[in-house]
Amino acid sequence: ELKVEQNPLFLSMQEGKNYTIYCNYSTTSDRLYWYRQDPGKSLESLFVLLSNGAVKQEGRLMASLDTKARLSTLHITAAVHDLSATYFCAVDRDSGYALNFGKGTSLLVTP
Amino acid sequence: GAGVSQTPSNKVTEKGKYVELRCDPISGHTALYWYRQSLGQGPEFLIYFQGTGAADDSGLPNDRFFAVRPEGSVSTLKIQRTERGDSAVYLCASSYPGIDTQYFGPGTRLTVL
């Protein structure tokens, strides 16, 4: 059974601080996706990581992928309140292009 | 351009009733996906269409759930004899063939009383 595990599941951090969210998965997939979801809203694509060693950055967020360790990280630099949301990682299902999601990391950035 | 749209945005029904949820993908996207999301959980895969055919329906929980995409564009998710456990947000996503990013619609919140 394909497993996608995120930790932490809940994260409260102060503005200006740095933190990393971890995503472990059990498939041999070399593609990993990060999405953001605001309360009551749908999912917004943040990053698509397509190969081992891939690193992508957008603003205060940086995502990386290590397919050998089956691990992706989402690093937050100098957090601001606008980053408060739930972040999901996902990997391809073994059968094709649909995705298996983790449970999400609920991030709250406080002053 | 227009994103993925879903109707209705909210649906309240009684246990045992039949419901249909509609998804209108981004124009030109041949791949269409249905997921459902329960409170506090990540989206759970239901079914994936490539064109008109269901390429993977292994996520449908039982035979009360069925989905169609007769012309390769709009899709309808059909749930028969609804149960309280079917209450969730049903999300639709679409993508270009060979392009990995899936674009999600706003979802339909289904409540079964």
Side-chain angles (χ1 to χ4, degrees):
Chain A
E1 178 190 347
L2 172 59
K3 292 183 180 178
V4 182
E5 296 181 343
Q6 291 182 235
N7 73 84
L9 297 182
F10 298 96
L11 175 58
S12 179
M13 58 189 298
Q14 285 186 315
E15 283 187 327
K17 298 292 187 183
N18 305 331
Y19 206 83
T20 300
I21 298 170
Y22 297 88
C23 174
N24 289 92
Y25 57 96
S26 62
T27 183
T28 55
S29 173
D30 57 3
R31 296 190 296 197
L32 189 130
Y33 309 80
W34 284 97
Y35 283 86
R36 168 182 172 145
Q37 187 175 38
D38 291 290
K41 304 292 186 183
S42 192
L43 283 83
E44 173 191 356
S45 176
L46 293 175
F47 301 109
V48 180
L49 304 170
L50 298 176
S51 61
N52 185 41
V55 177
K56 290 196 174 179
Q57 182 162 5
E58 181 73 33
R60 301 175 188 274
L61 299 178
M62 184 173 71
S64 66
L65 178 61
D66 180 344
T67 59
K68 292 187 172 66
R70 299 183 187 176
L71 170 69
S72 180
T73 61
L74 181 66
H75 186 73
I76 303 157
T77 301
V80 293
H81 179 70
D82 285 353
L83 290 179
S84 297
T86 299
Y87 294 85
F88 292 97
C89 65
V91 296
D92 291 329
R93 292 169 59 81
D94 290 338
S95 55
Y97 299 106
L99 300 178
N100 264 41
F101 284 82
K103 289 188 175 181
T105 296
S106 180
L107 171 65
L108 177 64
V109 181
T110 58
Chain B
V4 178
S5 62
Q6 293 186 244
T7 55
S9 55
N10 280 286
K11 177 70 177 178
V12 180
T13 191
E14 293 179 343
K15 181 175 178 293
K17 299 290 188 182
Y18 168 83
V19 296
E20 290 189 351
L21 311 178
R22 175 188 167 110
C23 172
D24 206 333
I26 293 171
S27 179
H29 283 193
T30 60
L32 185 146
Y33 314 80
W34 283 99
Y35 298 85
R36 72 176 174 181
Q37 186 175 25
S38 300
L39 193 62
Q41 301 294 317
E44 172 194 17
F45 167 71
L46 295 176
I47 187 169
Y48 156 52
F49 286 91
Q50 185 58 257
T52 60
D56 181 358
D57 64 358
S58 61
L60 295 176
N62 51 60
D63 61 6
R64 296 186 298 106
F65 288 75
F66 189 71
V68 295
R69 195 184 184 199
E71 298 178 357
S73 179
V74 171
S75 176
T76 305
L77 178 66
K78 308 180 181 194
I79 310 174
Q80 298 178 323
R81 305 183 303 280
T82 51
E83 299 178 356
R84 293 193 180 89
D86 298 335
S87 296
V89 175
Y90 288 79
L91 295 167
C92 176
S94 69
S95 69
Y96 282 114
I99 303 297
D100 300 283
T101 301
Q102 294 183 22
Y103 296 89
F104 281 79
T108 294
R109 181 175 299 277
L110 175 66
T111 303
V112 182
L113 300 177

